[in-house]
Amino acid sequence: MELARFISAYYICSLGDAFSLMMAFIHSYPKHETESQKSESLPESKIELSSKQTKALEFLKEQKVGLLFGDTGSGKTEIYMKYFEQMMLEKKRSIFLMPEISLTPQMGLRLDEHFGESVVMWHSKLTPKQKKIALQKIHDGRAKIIAGPRSALFLPIKDLGLIVVDEEHDDSYKSSSRPRYNARDLAIYLGKLYNINVVLGSATPSLTSYVKFPHIRLKGGHFNSKKEFIYEKSVETLSPLILEYINRTLELKEQSIVFLPTRANFKYLICKDCGHTYECVFCSVGMSIHQNSRALKCHYCNYTQAIPQICCECQSPNLTSSRLGTAEAVKNIAQTFPSAVVEQFDRDVITTATKLKKALKRFNDKESDILVGTQMLSKGHDYHGVTLAVVLGMDNMLNMGDYRAREKALSSLIQVSGRSGRLKDAKVLVQSFNEEFFKAYIDRYEEFLEQEKEFREGLYPPYKRLCRVLFSDKNGAKAREAMQKMHDNLVDYAHVEIVGYGKCAVERVANKYRFEILLRSDKSTELIKAIKATKVILAEIDMDPIEFS
Ligand SMILES: [Zn+2]
Ligand SMILES: [Zn+2]
């Protein structure tokens, strides 16, 4: 009840919306409590922590909210598992949040092997029957560790002792439909409510967590292989250099992964010759192309300028906004190397957990040579034979109209390159005009975070709070009117700044016209107060937004 009340107050939605997160479980909830707790057997601990890991665990136990800032392969999972074991000894249960558990079969396997019957995997791909069994185990107390994506936070768990949020930087913790909560932030709230510890873990923590919570740093993986980074100044295409590297890898009978950033709804203008891109002078974020009005537009403040004909840096006329899709890249690579087996690895093709497992097995059994995919490639899979990672179009990520663009681009590169060279030395080929940026921080993420603090100060979270208000309707005039009305009401609130308002970057979705207002304030309480007093019927509130399309 208290959690629902908090969600309703903070994310500004009805109590009904907040309860809808929890209602889903009532239907399949078993009616009677069964006899239980017969076998309270604990697993014999096979987890041996190094002295560094032990120190990290001791540190985390002392914090209400602690950040485990550990490189890929530095042994974060063992630390969590040891902590879960200790909770079991105290007869407490743990929640283990992961971005999407069905996408990380390896983690599931590890938990299963170690904790067996004591672990419940909760995810969207469970069948109704599997769901029922999982709920039964939670209900009668056999489940000691409940692992799952953000929805696992709302399961009815007794004697909760610990919440671990793995990959805490991951965007999938934020819901993109009403109520637009962030599960990481709610985990922290829940920890406070129950007075239990919360552990946030990541190799590339968000600036917000890094600034707010004490951290312990675990460096270096247990892979001794070396990685060589090569940078190529070109826009998002399969350049001759990239094809040459893929060819060499094929000749050595080794494997490659090719990473493409997820296609955003924005299109950006970039100079093919010098890599120059266009930023809003007021917001320091990338501007996107608006075809209808032939203009570049900032979607934070609505600042607009005509699409330039020549690059303002090098005077080249070769300005482009073209981007490469995964399917297209697969086709091109397969045509160039007819004897190679190339697989597409993204949400369009890998639609089920089974398909994912099979694709990974084929790749690890060396039945396929090249995986081409988006962010899914970097989600904690272990490709032991990869000696070449190609990272395409990094500049597109770096220049997104998003205040977290740098954080997202750098962390993606670190996560992808962490997937290669596990057994043998590997090459990471990065397509970018911003070699200096990536080179400076690829092995020094904490230095990047320190630098990023300066950029965010006074403008963006965690120093300022943002809220996006969306208005959508089949009748565009109606949506615009609603926006205008709320805007006019908001003007009176001195502590809330209206950053910008107007059409959304994506003007129409599902036949509905979309408008928005972006608000900024020092305090979320000020935002909540102003919004509650000025809210109009069509307004949908997105507190702490991470999506700006
Ligand atoms: Zn140029
Ligand atoms: Zn702007």
Side-chain angles (χ1 to χ4, degrees), residues 280-285 287 298-303 460 499:
C280 171
V281 284
F282 304 107
C283 306
S284 305
V285 298
M287 302 220 285
C298 165
H299 280 288
Y300 281 9
C301 73
N302 253 343
Y303 170 71
Y460 298 116
V499 181

Side-chain angles (χ1 to χ4, degrees), residues 245-305:
Y245 270 94
I246 292 176
N247 188 30
R248 263 191 244 165
T249 311
L250 283 170
E251 278 173 355
L252 291 167
K253 304 230 176 303
E254 292 175 348
Q255 293 175 300
S256 318
I257 51 174
V258 178
F259 172 82
L260 280 131
T262 309
R263 274 233 245 194
N265 292 309
F266 300 94
K267 276 201 162 185
Y268 307 94
L269 198 63
I270 182 164
C271 170
K272 273 189 184 175
D273 295 312
C274 78
H276 179 72
T277 54
Y278 292 80
E279 254 189 12
C280 171
V281 284
F282 304 107
C283 306
S284 305
V285 298
M287 302 220 285
S288 58
I289 295 179
H290 252 236
Q291 295 296 0
N292 295 347
S293 45
R294 300 290 306 144
L296 291 178
K297 198 165 166 187
C298 165
H299 280 288
Y300 281 9
C301 73
N302 253 343
Y303 170 71
T304 307
Q305 71 174 71

Side-chain angles (χ1 to χ4, degrees), residues 153-164:
L153 204 58
F154 305 109
L155 289 166
I157 300 162
K158 272 182 272 180
D159 302 318
L160 193 60
L162 170 70
I163 306 175
V164 171

Side-chain angles (χ1 to χ4, degrees), residues 202-483:
S202 177
T204 55
S206 62
L207 182 67
T208 306
S209 299
Y210 179 76
V211 170
K212 280 188 175 163
F213 307 112
H215 73 269
I216 184 140
R217 187 79 176 93
L218 271 186
K219 280 198 169 190
H222 40 230
F223 308 107
N224 290 319
S225 50
K226 282 200 183 67
K227 245 172 253 158
E228 184 193 344
F229 284 84
I230 304 138
Y231 293 87
E232 188 197 16
K233 287 184 169 56
S234 69
V235 295
E236 199 173 306
T237 49
L238 289 163
S239 67
L241 185 76
I242 289 170
L243 294 173
E244 191 195 313
Y245 270 94
I246 292 176
N247 188 30
R248 263 191 244 165
T249 311
L250 283 170
E251 278 173 355
L252 291 167
K253 304 230 176 303
E254 292 175 348
Q255 293 175 300
S256 318
I257 51 174
V258 178
F259 172 82
L260 280 131
T262 309
R263 274 233 245 194
N265 292 309
F266 300 94
K267 276 201 162 185
Y268 307 94
L269 198 63
I270 182 164
C271 170
K272 273 189 184 175
D273 295 312
C274 78
H276 179 72
T277 54
Y278 292 80
E279 254 189 12
C280 171
V281 284
F282 304 107
C283 306
S284 305
V285 298
M287 302 220 285
S288 58
I289 295 179
H290 252 236
Q291 295 296 0
N292 295 347
S293 45
R294 300 290 306 144
L296 291 178
K297 198 165 166 187
C298 165
H299 280 288
Y300 281 9
C301 73
N302 253 343
Y303 170 71
T304 307
Q305 71 174 71
I307 298 176
Q309 297 306 308
I310 55 164
C311 171
C312 65
E313 277 296 304
C314 74
Q315 271 71 51
S316 156
N318 297 324
L319 300 176
T320 179
S321 64
S322 66
R323 305 212 37 200
L324 191 66
T326 328
E328 203 185 338
V330 169
K331 208 176 108 195
N332 292 349
I333 296 172
Q335 272 168 358
T336 317
F337 307 107
S339 59
V341 182
V342 191
E343 284 206 46
Q344 187 173 339
F345 196 72
D346 63 7
R347 280 179 192 277
D348 292 336
V349 170
I350 310 290
T351 47
T352 64
T354 317
K355 281 185 185 167
L356 175 79
K357 266 184 211 163
K358 282 185 179 164
L360 286 175
K361 189 172 184 308
R362 278 195 299 275
F363 195 59
N364 280 334
D365 291 348
K366 293 210 161 189
E367 284 169 34
S368 52
D369 305 301
I370 303 166
L371 283 189
V372 182
T374 53
Q375 265 75 357
M376 195 188 265
L377 265 181
S378 60
K379 299 266 183 222
H381 310 305
D382 185 10
Y383 320 109
H384 21 268
V386 171
T387 57
L388 174 67
V390 177
V391 183
L392 293 170
M394 263 336 248
D395 292 346
N396 276 312
M397 283 190 95
L398 206 52
N399 296 303
M400 278 187 298
D402 183 336
Y403 72 90
R404 298 183 310 141
R406 272 173 304 273
E407 183 180 316
K408 280 161 100 172
L410 184 62
S411 73
S412 292
L413 180 57
I414 292 172
Q415 303 275 355
V416 178
S417 65
R419 300 291 133 217
S420 65
R422 297 221 148 184
L423 290 178
K424 275 188 190 175
D425 291 357
K427 289 188 170 62
V428 182
L429 183 52
V430 187
Q431 194 167 48
S432 173
F433 282 94
N434 296 281
E435 175 174 355
E436 257 173 60
F437 170 78
F438 290 115
K439 227 180 184 167
Y441 300 124
I442 190 87
D443 290 319
R444 288 177 285 270
Y445 199 73
E446 52 269 72
E447 274 173 42
F448 161 72
L449 291 170
E450 290 299 329
Q451 190 65 44
E452 190 70 358
K453 279 182 184 174
E454 282 172 36
F455 163 70
R456 301 260 187 106
E457 201 109 52
L459 277 177
Y460 298 116
Y463 306 102
K464 292 272 183 178
R465 307 306 285 257
L466 295 178
C467 183
R468 191 177 180 225
V469 189
L470 286 154
F471 308 84
S472 68
D473 198 87
K474 282 189 176 145
N475 180 343
K478 204 173 144 194
R480 182 190 284 278
E481 244 166 60
M483 173 196 72

